[in-house]
Amino acid sequence: MEERELINLLKREKSTKVFGGSFDTDMPERVWKEVCEQVGLSLSPDSKSYSFRDHLDFFYWRVQESFLRPVSTALVGFALIVSGWIFAMNATYASMPGDVLYSVKLATERVQLQLVFNNEKRAKLQVEFADRRLQEMKELSRSHHEDREALVHTAAEKFKQQMTSVHEVLAEMQTQEPESALALAKVLDEKVDEYTVVLDQSETDFSQENKQDVQGVIAAVEDTDQQAVEVIVSQQETTPKQETAKDLEKIFRKDVMSIETRISASQRRIDVVKIALEEREDLFLYEEDLQNIRDRLRPLSEQINDLMNMFAAGGYRKSFEIIEEIKINLDVVEAKLTDLEILISTQQLQTVIPPVSLENNETEEISETQLNQDITE
Amino acid sequence: MNKHQEQFLLYRIRVLKDEKAFAKLYSEYYSALFRFLTIKLPESEVEDALSTIFVRLWNYITGSRVENVSGLSFTIARGVIAEYYRKNQNKMERTGLPLQETKEPTEKQGDKLIVRGVEIALVKRAIAQLDTGNRTAIILRYLEDLPIKEVARRLQKTETATRTYLHRAIKILKNQIDQEIK
């Protein structure tokens, strides 16, 4: 199925029930009624439109939130610096989402950005602040804060916002200041490596609820890397330089090494899953899935040889496009392997069962065979 | 709804506990969330899950400052879906999708209908296996038929980044479908 066909199918079939269209016309009201009952809202709120006074109140509140409060907190921060309260500023710098001084920290960062007029320096500052958000996510994930998941989500959202700002600046610089864009792209590419290391190291610290936030952050980091590489490739195509060619080669080798490592890791995981299934005598149930994964993985190693030849011949753009395609395929392989691993491990947990207490206070252990029978029924 | 309108409603909900504002947010977002849930949950669970999302959304908005309702609502939706699967692990299919109330094609249905049905089921299955960001983007753009500007606002990306993101998402979906067919 071609991409255009797929898009047409989605648009054509959007009203089918399978995709959540053509739902019962009473559904929205039913759900709203349920929400109102649980939260204590009235079913039919006042239908009058908002008055000018309502909008004025909102405007006043926005001025307070967007200007007066940050300015006053920034002034407080400035006063603290001037008065030499280093301890207080260290506390501000070390504050986390949810802390009292966190808004001071963010306000200080905003003020710093406002005071920088050079695009490249502003982007580098954004990158530094994004780094702080990542550290905050890491610290929060290890903390015992009550609202840990929500605060990690907040830090993740702010990280993505920072990355979006960097994207916009880089896109602007690419047309107006190509040399500066190139310098920034190189810095970004190295920074992305650091972000990736931090995320890999703290992967197990994040709760299940925050896994998707982490995926969002990883996607933002990958987008940034792609954009940075695109800038460097474009610059090399426009104004070829030996130094830029060397930078591209360094990035290329790093990407190829990362892909090769992921391919090897996936192959090892396939072997481990196969052994686990053989021990459980369930291999026949998942043979097809494992074969699909192997079929997807096999051509990737072959593609790497072609890739290296292409790069050596100067086909930079195409080489990096192929790298992206390989990474996409690896993402799918790794996700499928994770699904299999989770399925195997959850089914294994189900075989460990406590004694069941009966009417006569006797206990009886249910056999594994009986449990499996119950599950299949 | 533009960003300013949404911020106005969020202010009304957070500061004044305005039910009318929440009803407006509900009418804006329930459809996309309903689709998101339909793709991952059995039909019988979707309405309950949707009401759970909005109850939690109310609690969150009235308690904290929220910048982006779309992002928050889909984060809550993911959590609700994950909770369903944790409670119902033994009902999952091997592929991680819930047992569907499938309708077998009857002899009266023409071949074309059967092929269409199979195609749709395949695409739905593939969408369910995407990561949340890609799934959300595809739902908002191609199923909800929102303009790029609105999709960008809800995903908190620029329009250019959104177009790139959508292009990548469709490519991933296509690869997924091709693998399913093989």
Side-chain angles (χ1 to χ4, degrees), chain A residues 252 256 259-260 263 267 294-310 322 326 330:
Chain A
F252 176 76
V256 165
I259 287 168
E260 284 174 336
I263 291 174
Q267 279 164 346
R294 279 196 207 97
D295 289 342
R296 190 182 270 271
L297 202 58
R298 194 176 308 113
L300 302 184
S301 301
E302 292 157 11
Q303 270 185 296
I304 290 176
N305 288 332
D306 297 335
L307 201 57
M308 294 180 81
N309 293 336
M310 192 180 298
I322 293 173
I326 293 175
L330 276 171

Side-chain angles (χ1 to χ4, degrees), chain A residues 1 13-14 17-19 28 30 39 42 46 48 50 65 153 157 168 212 285 289 296, chain B residues 12 18-21 26 35 43 47 58 65 75 78 94 116 124 132 145 156 158 174 179:
Chain A
M1 191 184 284
E13 305 294 349
K14 66 185 179 194
K17 222 173 172 186
V18 168
F19 291 129
R30 267 201 310 273
V39 166
S42 62
D46 171 22
K48 287 186 209 159
Y50 291 107
E65 291 288 307
H153 172 75
E157 291 302 307
E168 284 170 4
Q212 294 295 342
L285 286 174
D289 292 326
R296 190 182 270 271
Chain B
R12 298 281 310 178
D18 184 356
E19 297 167 5
K20 182 168 77 178
Y26 173 79
R35 289 185 190 275
E43 196 179 326
E47 284 190 26
W58 168 266
R65 180 136 184 211
T75 301
R78 288 194 298 266
R94 286 186 289 125
R116 178 177 163 235
K124 180 185 173 179
T132 307
D145 216 8
Q156 284 193 294
T158 60
K174 176 186 168 297
Q179 285 300 315

Side-chain angles (χ1 to χ4, degrees), chain A residues 150-212:
Chain A
L151 294 173
V152 168
H153 172 75
T154 303
E157 291 302 307
K158 292 210 180 298
F159 177 89
K160 288 189 285 187
Q161 280 168 24
Q162 235 100 45
M163 284 292 104
T164 303
S165 303
V166 169
H167 280 219
E168 284 170 4
V169 170
L170 191 56
E172 199 184 311
M173 284 169 69
Q174 202 176 353
T175 46
Q176 293 171 10
E177 304 159 64
E179 288 292 329
S180 302
L182 179 62
L184 177 61
K186 290 178 192 177
V187 165
L188 275 178
D189 184 69
E190 286 175 13
K191 204 65 194 169
V192 152
D193 290 343
E194 293 176 26
Y195 293 156
T196 309
V197 167
V198 168
L199 287 165
D200 284 344
Q201 283 173 350
S202 39
E203 192 184 349
T204 51
D205 295 330
F206 292 108
S207 69
Q208 201 54 39
E209 284 79 9
N210 288 131
K211 289 286 182 206
Q212 294 295 342

Side-chain angles (χ1 to χ4, degrees), chain A residues 97-191:
Chain A
D99 292 346
V100 171
L101 288 176
Y102 189 64
S103 56
V104 178
K105 181 177 179 181
L106 293 182
T108 314
E109 288 176 5
R110 278 196 292 272
V111 168
Q112 279 182 273
L113 284 169
Q114 293 298 327
L115 294 175
V116 170
F117 299 104
N118 176 276
N119 274 339
E120 190 185 339
K121 287 181 182 166
R122 193 177 313 116
K124 284 178 180 172
L125 210 47
Q126 291 278 17
V127 165
E128 188 193 318
F129 296 156
D131 204 16
R132 291 184 191 176
R133 300 295 88 80
L134 212 53
Q135 296 302 328
E136 284 161 14
M137 278 178 69
K138 194 174 143 185
E139 293 297 324
L140 281 166
S141 67
R142 292 174 183 174
S143 73
H144 298 288
H145 203 291
E146 242 177 46
D147 295 323
R148 182 180 60 180
E149 281 86 17
L151 294 173
V152 168
H153 172 75
T154 303
E157 291 302 307
K158 292 210 180 298
F159 177 89
K160 288 189 285 187
Q161 280 168 24
Q162 235 100 45
M163 284 292 104
T164 303
S165 303
V166 169
H167 280 219
E168 284 170 4
V169 170
L170 191 56
E172 199 184 311
M173 284 169 69
Q174 202 176 353
T175 46
Q176 293 171 10
E177 304 159 64
E179 288 292 329
S180 302
L182 179 62
L184 177 61
K186 290 178 192 177
V187 165
L188 275 178
D189 184 69
E190 286 175 13
K191 204 65 194 169

